[in-house]
Amino acid sequence: MPEKMPPAYDHEQVEDKWYDYWLKEDVPSAELDRDREPFCIVIPPPNVTGSLHMGHALDNTIQDLLTRWKRMQGYAALWLPGTDHAGIATQNVVEKMLEEEGKTRHDLGREKFLEKTWEVADEHHDVIIGQLQRLGCTPDWSRERFTLDEGLSDAVREAFVTLYEEGLIYRGARMINWCPRCSTGLSDLEVEHMDDAGHFWHMRYPSPDGGPGVMVATTRPETMLGDTAVAVHPDDERYADLIGETVILPLMDREIPVVADELVDPEFGTGAVKVTPAHDPTDLAIAQNHNLDRVVVIGEDGKMTDESGQFAGMDRFEARREIVSALEEQGLLEGIEEHHHKVGHCSRCDTIVEPLISEQWFVAMEKLAADGLRAVDDGLVRFVPERWTKVYREWLENIEDWCISRQLWWGHQIPAWWCTRCNQWIVSREDPTECLSCGVTGLVQSPDVLDTWFSSGLWPFSTLGWPEETEELDFWFPTSVLVTAYDIIFFWVARMIMDSMHFMGEQPFDNVFIHGLVRTEDGQKMSKSLGTGVDPLELIDEYGADALRFALMQMITHGQDLRYSEDRVVGARNFCNKLWNMTRFVTMNLEDAPDEKIDLSQSDLSLADRWILSRHHRMLETIDRELTRYNIAQATDALYEHIWSEFADWYVELAKGDLYDPETPDRKAITQEVLRTVLSGILRALHPIMPFITEELWHRLKEDAGSIALAEFPMADEEMF
RNA sequence: GGGCGGAUAGCUCAGUGGCAAGAGCACCUGCCUUACACGCAGGGGGUCGCAGGUUCAAGUCCUGCUCCGCCCACCA
């Protein structure tokens, strides 16, 4: 006899027990079994920058649900877990910790700083794994990976060297986004363009003969110190006479030419553009058309360089103020307008980025992008919902080369060594001890590390063993589905597809299921720093993991952001209680059930029996159909509706008549069989969403069934009835 | 400047051209009926953003517009 069930479900009595049981029973482990169909999901590796938020809870519940569902259907289902070192993000977290002690990373030095970062990363890793387990997630822990572990580092090196050998990675001086605070180059994606309130300063560059010269307008007066020309549109009649002439650059007393260039928009500002080739991408393009000099006036530290005359050494924004007042004193400032414009900020530390010409490593994107486009054009990768394909396409069609080197410490150091004698880079799979050309020893490795997304791009195959030709790759690759939010389609999804097409010759995954972001009840972004974040663990403590999972799965929409509301979790907790009490009722009424299982297909079923069995079948079909289409909320709702409105409200109520009538023992036996059959089917179907309570209730039901064998739980590929 | 998404009950949202538009929460009225008050039975509440059009039939398809949100882009 099972112990008596209390009248309310208490998740705390259940959850840890079953997670330990799953580990003991090896439930998460995926067996490479060629007699079964492969199914594989690789986790979007959480950053080891902190703990998991609601978005992770959502994303990982979906993956756990899909994995459990496939596992129950008999697939060789692998959900491969891991974490991401998250280069710049983690480095920033550690730098902020040091800042509180009044230190910078340079006070520690590279080695000590990395030691500290490993400590922080390990700590966060353990928190993250604990959180996934509390959530009930069952990825195959024996295959867990980290983007900085040995195997993945080998994969990174293999990818880098191969691309270099193919001429797809090159080093060059190009204009990039520079964060003076992080003191590193950034990729275009790592810059957030924010609509900042600024000013539009109109200033006059007079003619050498003392004439009026030309009026230019700028939002960044400090760059004027590096001007080497003024540009106007070739067809702009206002300035026709000036083209080919020169003007005097104020404050620097430099004579600079007026050039004509199609890139100038005559409608904007004064129609005359000050040209600062070293600090603006458009200006650089103009400079290249006219062979203009580049004068670097802003350094990597965000301070004015020695080329800045009297402003040398000033912070760039201090210089801006000083220059404006200096121009004003000289009567050359002819107007200030309020001006809202997009200003690039470092996505990690919010500092205003500075466009600089810098020597960096780049990935040439043209060929890779073509491969990436082919993947969707040939239907190798399918986005769900389909509309994201267009977003993906448009990004790839307009892509620029990718700056992959970072002047940071936390990450994969670039496998390139400088030979001072030959003045060339040696890029190699093995750490070279001497120059391959001249044999000189004492080569120095580039101190730079790779953009963190370089390693994540390889994730779907590096985690399965690439560049080794492993059995795992052969069996599980391409993986089945990638589950992620839309905000990293460019950063990550696109790069995985390109890399996979390039290195593996096939797609990394057949489907990409894109979901939205979890927002607060009033639609704000959830953010720890804004205090709008909700900690999934607190909800699990209060309502249980199953309630949280169920609520999240009910809220999923296709690529639409979802608003989190605690009411949903309360509702899901109530649903758990309903389920608990349904099972309590059924087990109480099964105590005197016959020892022999009744074959319902040979029984004289009542209308109610036939109705609930048919509804039950319909529900199972709906689940399968909707999950196949990634309509997770629809599947979840179908369960809820069937369990509560059909089974509990109607069948269980109707069953009471038969159960309590001593005159009709045959009827009662059939009813008992139907109750047991439908309830066990419900528990199985619900298990991928609510694994803890269903496992508990299943075992209670099974115990109660005595000698009658129920199909093994949670395997559902056996006969349901 | 380009692109995308949304606008359906007080709130959050389902709704895959066709029975009288749905759910959860909230609200109202009864019920502690021995599985469950985290519950049961019942109820009120919507000109489906606006204007046209296609169709026997439109919340659903087409066109235009309004408002909200997001993404991309080197307009100084």
Side-chain angles (χ1 to χ4, degrees), chain A residues 439-463:
Chain A
V440 78
T441 54
L443 302 170
V444 179
Q445 186 173 7
S446 164
D448 292 356
V449 298
L450 287 164
D451 182 353
T452 196
W453 298 101
F454 190 90
S455 54
S456 8
L458 311 171
W459 185 253
F461 44 99
S462 62
T463 51

Side-chain angles (χ1 to χ4, degrees), chain A residues 366-387:
Chain A
E366 200 181 329
K367 183 183 179 299
L368 289 168
D371 284 344
L373 289 169
R374 189 164 57 81
V376 291
D377 289 344
D378 293 357
L380 302 175
V381 174
R382 188 173 66 101
F383 278 83
V384 180
E386 201 258 330
R387 65 189 162 84

Side-chain angles (χ1 to χ4, degrees), chain A residues 1-290:
Chain A
M1 270 298 117
E3 60 178 296
K4 213 169 167 224
M5 289 174 75
Y9 173 56
D10 179 3
H11 64 270
E12 287 177 0
Q13 302 289 316
V14 167
E15 296 184 349
D16 290 349
K17 174 178 72 180
W18 290 116
Y19 202 91
D20 291 344
Y21 170 83
W22 296 332
L23 290 181
K24 199 179 97 234
E25 296 291 312
D26 254 354
V27 167
S29 296
E31 197 189 335
L32 199 162
D33 179 355
R34 290 190 186 273
D35 292 335
R36 292 175 184 260
E37 283 285 309
F39 176 83
C40 182
I41 299 179
V42 290
I43 197 172
N47 292 349
V48 288
T49 46
S51 51
L52 302 185
H53 52 65
M54 288 296 278
H56 291 112
L58 174 78
D59 193 58
N60 287 294
T61 300
I62 297 170
Q63 294 172 69
D64 193 52
L65 185 167
L66 293 174
T67 305
R68 286 179 183 271
W69 174 51
K70 288 294 178 180
R71 206 186 273 147
M72 289 171 77
Q73 288 183 331
Y75 285 75
L78 167 60
W79 181 19
L80 199 153
T83 48
D84 196 315
H85 72 284
I88 190 169
T90 308
Q91 175 153 338
N92 260 291
V93 166
V94 177
E95 285 187 3
K96 273 180 192 147
M97 293 166 75
L98 291 175
E99 205 178 304
E100 283 172 22
E101 303 168 23
K103 291 188 196 155
T104 72
R105 74 198 217 212
H106 300 285
D107 294 330
L108 271 70
R110 188 164 185 148
E111 203 176 319
K112 282 263 181 272
F113 179 83
L114 286 179
E115 265 175 40
K116 171 91 181 157
T117 309
W118 272 106
E119 275 173 36
V120 171
D122 286 344
E123 221 171 277
H124 288 150
H125 163 270
D126 294 351
V127 169
I128 288 166
I129 300 309
Q131 283 181 300
L132 287 174
Q133 299 194 343
R134 284 295 309 280
L135 192 60
C137 290
T138 50
D140 186 345
W141 297 113
S142 70
R143 298 177 195 270
E144 189 192 339
R145 304 304 297 267
F146 181 53
T147 48
L148 275 183
D149 70 26
E150 201 186 328
L152 266 64
S153 297
D154 288 346
V156 164
R157 187 170 286 204
E158 175 66 25
F160 186 96
V161 177
T162 304
L163 289 170
Y164 180 78
E165 288 168 349
E166 292 168 337
L168 295 178
I169 281 183
Y170 63 93
R171 188 169 167 91
R174 298 180 44 139
M175 183 152 294
I176 52 129
N177 305 291
W178 182 268
C179 175
R181 213 252 11 124
C182 301
S183 87
T184 180
L186 300 172
S187 68
D188 296 343
L189 285 178
E190 289 168 305
V191 176
E192 276 179 43
H193 297 273
M194 310 218 258
D195 206 10
D196 288 358
H199 298 278
F200 210 24
W201 283 276
H202 292 249
M203 47 215 215
R204 184 164 297 281
Y205 290 5
S207 292
D209 59 7
V214 65
M215 189 154 75
V216 296
T218 183
T219 55
R220 295 193 295 153
E222 68 279 10
T223 62
M224 68 159 293
L225 305 177
D227 285 1
T228 54
V230 169
V232 297
H233 191 90
D235 301 335
D236 193 334
E237 289 173 9
R238 292 172 296 175
Y239 300 113
D241 293 347
L242 274 175
I243 297 170
E245 301 294 316
T246 59
V247 292
I248 298 294
L249 180 65
L251 308 178
M252 298 303 282
D253 244 355
R254 190 156 68 221
E255 199 169 333
I256 57 175
V258 177
V259 300
D261 200 294
E262 300 273 350
L263 288 170
V264 178
D265 177 3
E267 305 293 318
F268 190 79
T270 65
V273 185
K274 55 184 279 310
V275 180
T276 323
H279 297 288
D280 184 276
T282 310
D283 293 8
L284 180 60
I286 294 173
Q288 280 161 347
N289 293 341
H290 301 276

Side-chain angles (χ1 to χ4, degrees), chain A residues 264-491:
Chain A
V264 178
D265 177 3
E267 305 293 318
F268 190 79
T270 65
V273 185
K274 55 184 279 310
V275 180
T276 323
H279 297 288
D280 184 276
T282 310
D283 293 8
L284 180 60
I286 294 173
Q288 280 161 347
N289 293 341
H290 301 276
N291 228 346
L292 302 171
D293 288 340
R294 304 169 187 177
V295 178
V296 175
V297 292
I298 303 172
E300 293 183 343
D301 53 2
K303 294 200 166 92
M304 306 310 288
T305 67
D306 293 343
E307 302 277 356
S308 319
Q310 55 177 301
F311 304 97
M314 280 186 197
D315 174 77
R316 53 191 167 146
F317 297 115
E318 186 190 355
R320 177 179 294 180
R321 288 189 297 274
E322 294 297 322
I323 285 165
V324 167
S325 57
L327 286 170
E328 200 168 10
E329 270 171 39
Q330 296 187 15
L332 295 172
L333 187 69
E334 303 209 356
I336 308 173
E337 285 172 41
E338 300 282 314
H339 187 67
H340 282 264
H341 61 143
K342 295 281 186 182
V343 177
H345 293 249
C346 171
S347 60
R348 286 299 159 187
C349 74
D350 203 41
T351 304
I352 293 178
V353 299
E354 206 58 53
L356 291 179
I357 297 169
S358 177
E359 211 172 290
Q360 300 282 349
W361 294 92
F362 294 89
V363 177
M365 294 309 298
E366 200 181 329
K367 183 183 179 299
L368 289 168
D371 284 344
L373 289 169
R374 189 164 57 81
V376 291
D377 289 344
D378 293 357
L380 302 175
V381 174
R382 188 173 66 101
F383 278 83
V384 180
E386 201 258 330
R387 65 189 162 84
W388 292 107
T389 311
K390 194 177 171 189
V391 176
Y392 166 88
R393 284 198 61 102
E394 277 170 17
W395 187 67
L396 285 187
E397 282 166 359
N398 300 296
I399 198 163
E400 300 279 335
D401 284 357
W402 176 20
C403 175
I404 49 168
S405 43
R406 297 287 176 276
Q407 288 64 54
L408 303 169
W409 291 345
W410 177 244
H412 299 98
Q413 201 167 341
I414 290 180
W417 288 259
W418 181 251
C419 172
T420 47
R421 190 187 293 176
C422 308
N423 281 331
Q424 66 170 10
W425 288 100
I426 295 149
V427 170
S428 165
R429 286 178 178 79
E430 308 298 331
D431 291 12
T433 51
E434 57 186 48
C435 175
L436 305 175
S437 311
C438 71
V440 78
T441 54
L443 302 170
V444 179
Q445 186 173 7
S446 164
D448 292 356
V449 298
L450 287 164
D451 182 353
T452 196
W453 298 101
F454 190 90
S455 54
S456 8
L458 311 171
W459 185 253
F461 44 99
S462 62
T463 51
L464 289 170
W466 188 86
E468 305 295 317
E469 287 175 24
T470 59
E471 284 275 297
E472 281 79 7
L473 270 179
D474 182 55
F475 185 61
W476 276 302
F477 197 86
T479 67
S480 311
V481 57
L482 178 84
V483 181
T484 193
Y486 61 75
D487 59 340
I488 50 176
I489 291 177
F490 304 146
F491 277 113

